[in-house]
Amino acid sequence: MSGDQKACAGISRRDFVTGAAVTLASVGAGAAALAPLMDAEEIPTADEFIQKHYRRLTPADKKEIFARLEREIEKQYGKKATICDPKPIDGVEFAYVLNIGRCIGCRRCVYACMKENNQSRDPQIQYIRVMKLKKGSVDLETSVHDYPPEEAADPNYFYMPVQCQQCRNPPCVKVCPVKATWKEKDGIIVIDYNWCIGCRYCEAACPYHARRFNWSKPGLSSEDLNPDMGYLSNRPRYMGVMEKCTFCLHRTREGRYPACLEVCPTGARKFGNLRDPDSEVRKILENERVYVLKQDLGTLPKFYYVFAK
């Protein structure tokens, strides 16, 4: 773990777990005497204890943590940043609809996402893969996503952007051994970058290849830094942690659209509240033929595809 990461977190989960292990070793002699108590149902597991501890942070605690993170970002990038922590809105469940019939594969969404979410430029990390598929086929295994720009808008191909599907039944959440990733009330799957231990179980569990691991320290210049940040979304990440699309929650929970939607030149992307009967996404789902990726896996994505004109 880098020094700056420790400074940002104050104490990270890895530090906590390591410290706990040392402490447990030191009291090993008394373990036998306490064995009967360890069978009691009311004694929480280590994960339950840590998660409970985290949730007990007061608003004042969080304010102090955000202020510390902002100071660290200013020190590292020479640029003032603001970290917000918008909460899920009652009665809102976000969903995305992508019209494959309109997508031209220009990848503007890919780069708008990178710019908005402070993704590493060197090495480059992208949340969205635009799959190029021969018309008449929807075989993702034979598709390509690294085609040159001049091959966009080819009338012989479909273009299918794939990103986090924000599943209702997310396998990535189930496998995390430290509860560093979870599903919020509005359906967005988030990651606490200071909680993640970088085991990559979630990356292996995701059938959509939607999670990214920082193998090295993210390369992001101060000129590229977006100073408007969310704690659980686009604040700078560290080497050794996972990241992914969060539907730009720092924007969408404030009533704005995701960055990828705003730059789409064809209107192929739609976003909104699934529980609102008057929302555009709700009407599309009710009136169009809608598809989800890998339906047989039972992940129940909230990212839908249509083939309308």
Side-chain angles (χ1 to χ4, degrees):
M1 181 186 298
S2 64
D4 54 349
Q5 181 176 352
K6 288 183 177 179
C8 285
I11 178 171
S12 73
R13 190 161 203 179
R14 256 176 291 193
D15 291 334
F16 186 92
V17 172
T18 302
V22 172
T23 302
L24 287 173
S26 69
V27 299
L34 295 174
L37 290 177
M38 298 306 292
D39 294 331
E41 291 184 357
E42 64 270 24
I43 295 178
T45 64
D47 282 348
E48 289 170 342
F49 173 80
I50 295 169
Q51 189 72 6
K52 188 175 183 181
H53 177 75
Y54 169 74
R55 290 184 183 281
R56 282 184 176 175
L57 284 177
T58 67
D61 293 333
K62 292 181 179 179
K63 186 177 180 180
E64 182 180 337
I65 291 171
F66 296 167
R68 184 166 61 245
L69 289 170
E70 289 167 354
R71 289 194 298 271
E72 288 296 322
I73 291 168
E74 183 176 6
K75 181 179 179 182
Q76 181 175 352
Y77 294 96
K79 195 172 186 177
K80 284 188 175 295
T82 302
I83 298 177
C84 63
D85 187 28
K87 299 302 180 187
I89 304 167
D90 289 340
V92 171
E93 184 179 16
F94 287 124
Y96 216 121
V97 176
L98 197 139
N99 186 347
I100 296 175
R102 287 191 174 183
C103 181
I104 58 174
C106 65
R107 291 205 190 100
R108 292 186 189 182
C109 54
V110 175
Y111 297 106
C113 172
M114 289 179 61
K115 182 178 179 181
E116 176 66 30
N117 289 292
N118 289 320
Q119 285 149 253
S120 174
R121 308 302 202 268
D122 183 22
Q124 197 171 93
I125 286 182
Q126 300 175 348
Y127 294 164
I128 304 172
R129 292 180 300 142
V130 181
M131 316 301 288
K132 182 182 176 186
L133 303 152
K134 188 76 175 177
K135 279 191 174 177
S137 168
V138 289
D139 184 4
L140 295 181
E141 302 303 322
T142 60
S143 65
V144 296
H145 68 274
D146 55 351
Y147 56 88
E150 57 270 22
E151 291 187 8
D154 188 328
N156 297 311
Y157 288 85
F158 286 123
Y159 299 89
M160 176 186 284
V162 178
Q163 56 206 77
C164 178
Q165 306 287 294
Q166 312 294 350
C167 304
R168 284 195 178 86
N169 186 24
C172 55
V173 169
K174 294 178 181 176
V175 299
C176 179
V178 294
K179 306 292 188 289
T181 183
W182 64 90
K183 182 172 65 175
E184 295 267 269
K185 290 181 179 178
D186 55 7
I188 298 176
I189 312 298
V190 297
I191 302 169
D192 188 321
Y193 310 124
N194 288 101
W195 218 244
C196 176
I197 60 172
C199 66
R200 300 175 61 211
Y201 288 178
C202 58
E203 182 183 23
C206 175
Y208 305 105
H209 188 49
R211 289 182 171 240
R212 305 289 180 264
F213 182 69
N214 287 280
W215 289 97
S216 59
K217 184 177 180 179
L220 182 67
S221 69
S222 58
E223 291 76 19
D224 289 330
L225 185 75
N226 175 7
D228 300 321
M229 302 175 183
Y231 180 79
L232 292 172
S233 55
N234 67 335
R235 67 183 171 100
R237 276 71 76 188
Y238 315 110
M239 182 176 72
V241 303
M242 301 301 305
E243 60 179 288
K244 68 171 199 65
C245 161
T246 62
F247 278 175
C248 288
L249 67 81
H250 54 284
R251 296 167 59 103
T252 51
R253 287 178 179 172
E254 300 291 340
R256 302 171 64 193
Y257 284 120
C260 54
L261 183 150
E262 289 191 341
V263 298
C264 180
T266 64
R269 290 174 172 268
K270 305 295 181 185
F271 180 84
N273 180 10
L274 204 54
R275 298 186 188 178
D276 178 1
D278 296 321
S279 70
E280 192 170 19
V281 292
R282 176 71 172 269
K283 290 184 180 300
I284 292 173
L285 264 59
E286 289 177 345
N287 297 293
E288 301 285 350
R289 293 183 65 183
V290 178
Y291 304 85
V292 295
L293 285 180
K294 302 185 178 182
Q295 183 178 9
D296 54 319
L297 298 180
T299 54
L300 305 178
K302 290 192 298 300
F303 197 104
Y304 304 92
Y305 294 91
V306 298
F307 286 88
K309 293 183 178 179

